[in-house]
Amino acid sequence: MDLSARPPDGRSRRLPAVALPALAAVLPAAVAFAGALHAGFVLDDLADVVGNPAATAARFVERLPQTVRPLLKASYAVQDWLHGPWAPGFHAVNLLLHVATTLLLLVLLRRAVRLSAVAVLATALWAVHPALTETVTYVSGRSAGLSALLLLGALVLATGPVRAGTVAAAATCAALAPLARETALVLPALLLWWQLTVGRGESVRTACTRLLPVLAGAAVGASVLAAMPGHRTLVAFSLQARPPLDALRGNVHAMADILGYWAMPWRISIDPPQPQAWGWLELATLVRTAGLAVVGGTALALRRRAPVAAFALGWTLLCLLPSNSLIWRIDPVGLKPLYLASIGPALLLAAVPMRSGGAGRRFGMAAGAGLGVALAAMTVQRTALYADPVALWRDAVDKAPERGRPWIGLGLALLEAGRRDEAAAALAAGLAREPWNPAAREGLALIEATRNIGSDLLQQ
């Protein structure tokens, strides 16, 4: 027998089994979002990253007590120290975070489902969806990307072999994740839901060994946030803006709207419409509340018979709850919460064909691959918009011409580009739709002032 032909420990045989699925999931994500490297700073980037003293190396420590999301600001400050306000560097880090998160998700889903093909397809469908552009392509979306990386890292560590080192590492990730984005405090609930669905069969002692360190880590992160004046002020402002029950009513509509963007990605805009102020007993509120209750009830009912489907449904609801429950946000409909929440729909979509056999399964996988290509193409197009603020806002206007904010955003982008006449027309259109908007009035006043200055210079 030729012993030289036999792998000594099986590693050479296992390598392709690991590398090929990873490549199939990561490569589409990297290609779909590669255009982000050509984008600049847009919108909130100018205030949160470039113009924020807490995001600079020189003043990060000084401003730390007043800031929010300290780990996020630390990442900005490190890059400021390395290369200053260089947009490609910030975009490259966002892209690397997404690639790393994609790998972690693949590991987690391979543990959740029996078939590797389902895990690969679900991960790829999630990783190339255009709803993720607000997290990956948009520098200010890093809060969602960085916290998701740490959250999934904690889950991968907590659901793997129980060792002292991995348990401690999971607790550390759980403590750090909310310091990038406070919504990561949902991590213990996600781990518990994992244990109740796809992770069933373990003893209570083993389940507690996995859960309690993560819970302790999340408690440490929550304590740090509670001790920071900036976070306390933010929570107080949100509670003052709307009482918890009023916030919950609005967020019922916001959750449904957010999920709608995953199902209909062609509607995605940099400025999505916000929910109307429906009453609790109005039909629109009753229908959406009933819909969310049905999803939650279905997840509980399927927990034993179809644990993967139950896990996917419950995961989606749990990921949306921190940002869309009792705390009100100025813009409750946004795409950043979808970064984690959309893992659930992607898993459901990939797992459905696996319930059939033979030709049905092959057709389902081929259809899933075709959908992935279509989503990736949409992401390439959407990512390209971030390289041109005028094009980004014109896209928003085309999708909602009846709203004022997209017109005002377009006008300000045109003004920044030096196209004053077009800017004035867009700002006037926005002001006609939102007469109370100060940004439109200030923009028009600035245009008029520059025209007067130019006229004075010509007369001289």
Side-chain angles (χ1 to χ4, degrees):
M1 181 181 294
D2 184 7
L3 295 179
S4 64
R6 178 191 297 174
D9 56 4
R11 281 179 295 181
S12 61
R13 291 179 181 176
R14 290 197 300 268
L15 184 59
V18 174
L20 291 179
L23 187 63
V26 168
L27 185 59
V31 171
F33 286 100
L37 299 176
H38 303 292
F41 294 116
V42 296
L43 304 175
D44 292 343
D45 296 344
L46 301 176
D48 293 346
V49 183
V50 180
N52 187 355
T56 63
R59 302 189 63 187
F60 168 73
V61 175
E62 170 196 340
R63 298 299 297 267
L64 186 58
Q66 289 77 39
T67 192
V68 295
R69 300 174 178 173
L71 185 61
L72 170 69
K73 299 303 191 299
S75 74
Y76 292 151
V78 168
Q79 287 196 257
D80 176 67
W81 175 71
L82 289 173
H83 55 64
W86 183 51
F90 285 91
H91 286 291
V93 170
N94 277 25
L95 182 57
L96 288 174
L97 288 174
H98 182 55
V99 168
T101 303
T102 301
L103 284 172
L104 288 174
L105 178 60
L106 178 61
V107 173
L108 189 67
L109 293 186
R110 290 189 74 182
R111 292 176 183 170
V113 298
R114 294 180 180 179
L115 294 175
S116 176
V118 175
V120 173
L121 180 58
T123 303
L125 288 176
W126 170 80
V128 301
H129 199 286
L132 275 55
T133 51
E134 192 166 319
T135 295
V136 183
T137 313
Y138 191 13
V139 174
S140 293
R142 183 179 298 181
S143 62
L146 181 55
S147 66
L149 176 69
L150 291 165
L151 183 148
L152 288 177
L155 285 175
V156 167
L157 291 165
T159 57
V162 179
R163 301 189 182 96
T166 56
V167 168
T172 302
C173 288
L176 292 175
L179 304 186
R181 188 176 178 87
E182 53 283 345
T183 52
L185 290 171
V186 75
L187 171 59
L190 292 173
L191 178 55
L192 178 60
W193 185 242
W194 167 285
Q195 293 172 330
L196 293 174
T197 54
V198 293
R200 288 189 301 113
E202 291 187 330
S203 66
V204 174
R205 180 177 180 179
T206 302
C208 289
T209 301
R210 298 181 187 278
L211 179 60
L212 291 180
V214 169
L215 187 60
V220 170
S223 300
V224 172
L225 295 182
M228 299 187 69
H231 277 276
R232 295 201 302 271
T233 301
L234 186 62
V235 171
F237 172 80
S238 297
L239 292 175
Q240 186 178 11
R242 281 201 187 186
L245 286 181
D246 284 350
L248 180 61
R249 182 186 59 199
N251 282 323
V252 164
H253 294 274
M255 287 178 69
D257 291 346
I258 290 170
L259 289 172
Y261 285 106
W262 194 90
M264 296 176 283
W266 55 87
R267 295 177 54 236
I268 292 173
S269 166
I270 192 62
D271 187 45
Q274 300 307 308
Q276 297 184 39
W278 300 101
W280 272 114
L281 298 180
E282 293 190 64
L283 181 60
T285 304
L286 294 175
V287 169
R288 295 193 174 196
T289 303
L292 293 173
V294 167
V295 173
T298 303
L300 290 172
L302 295 177
R303 189 170 65 84
R304 296 184 181 278
R305 289 182 295 149
V308 173
F311 173 71
L313 291 172
W315 173 282
T316 301
L317 292 181
L318 287 172
C319 287
L320 289 177
L321 279 177
S323 57
N324 293 95
S325 54
L326 298 175
I327 300 294
W328 185 250
R329 296 182 298 151
I330 295 177
D331 293 322
V333 178
L335 297 181
K336 293 185 186 72
L338 266 181
Y339 190 71
L340 274 177
S342 61
I343 291 172
L347 179 56
L348 276 177
L349 205 58
V352 167
M354 295 301 103
R355 298 187 67 86
S356 59
R361 179 177 296 183
R362 290 192 293 272
F363 174 79
M365 293 298 294
L371 176 61
V373 172
L375 290 173
M378 294 177 69
T379 297
V380 170
Q381 293 178 338
R382 177 126 202 99
T383 293
L385 293 176
Y386 282 81
D388 183 358
V390 172
L392 186 64
W393 280 107
R394 196 174 295 282
D395 171 77
V397 167
D398 291 341
K399 290 172 179 174
E402 75 285 354
R403 297 181 59 241
R405 286 208 322 188
W407 283 103
I408 295 167
L410 175 61
L412 296 176
L414 288 166
L415 182 59
E416 182 70 21
R419 297 156 64 175
R420 290 187 305 178
D421 292 340
E422 294 175 80
L427 289 170
L431 192 62
R433 292 161 174 81
E434 293 188 6
W436 61 87
N437 195 302
R441 295 185 181 278
E442 291 170 6
L444 287 170
L446 180 60
I447 292 172
E448 187 63 27
T450 56
R451 282 175 175 167
N452 291 337
I453 293 173
S455 176
D456 292 343
L457 290 175
L458 287 175
Q459 291 178 2
Q460 293 175 6

